[in-house]
Amino acid sequence: MTGTLLIGIYVFVLSCFVGFEIITKVPPTLHTPLMSGANAISGITIVGAIYAAGKTGDPKLSAILGGVAVAMATINCVGGFMVTDRMLGMFGKKK
């Protein structure tokens, strides 16, 4: 258990560092399209959250945490697509 937790923490910290380095190297003109692609990919977190909600260890706790995870992932995904839609609307023809 401890070894698995340490590996998980190591992967999390390393992915945070790599993600920060990659995002800071992206020019501003490409940042919004990159983020809209990332929002599409983050829809996968909804699937993971649904899986966590159905995991049986402590059914009440996993249902509560899984439900919160589904809500947060959905808010992230929908909000990202709303921002992308607004950004694309700025490039459309004026009415």
Side-chain angles (χ1 to χ4, degrees):
M1 176 71 179
T2 304
T4 306
L5 180 63
L6 288 175
I7 290 172
I9 291 172
Y10 175 73
V11 169
F12 177 74
V13 170
L14 186 62
S15 65
C16 287
F17 176 73
V18 170
F20 178 78
E21 288 298 316
I22 289 172
I23 293 298
T24 56
K25 305 289 190 261
V26 173
T29 55
L30 295 177
H31 193 267
T32 304
L34 175 68
M35 292 310 295
S36 54
N39 283 324
I41 293 170
S42 74
I44 296 169
T45 59
I46 295 174
V47 175
I50 292 171
Y51 175 75
K55 196 80 170 148
T56 57
D58 180 10
K60 273 190 175 179
L61 181 63
S62 66
I64 291 170
L65 291 178
V68 170
V70 169
M72 294 295 195
T74 303
I75 289 169
N76 180 36
C77 203
V78 170
F81 281 118
M82 288 174 65
V83 168
T84 301
D85 184 55
R86 185 171 179 184
M87 182 266 314
L88 291 175
M90 293 169 56
F91 294 104
K93 291 184 179 181
K94 303 282 185 202
K95 293 184 180 181

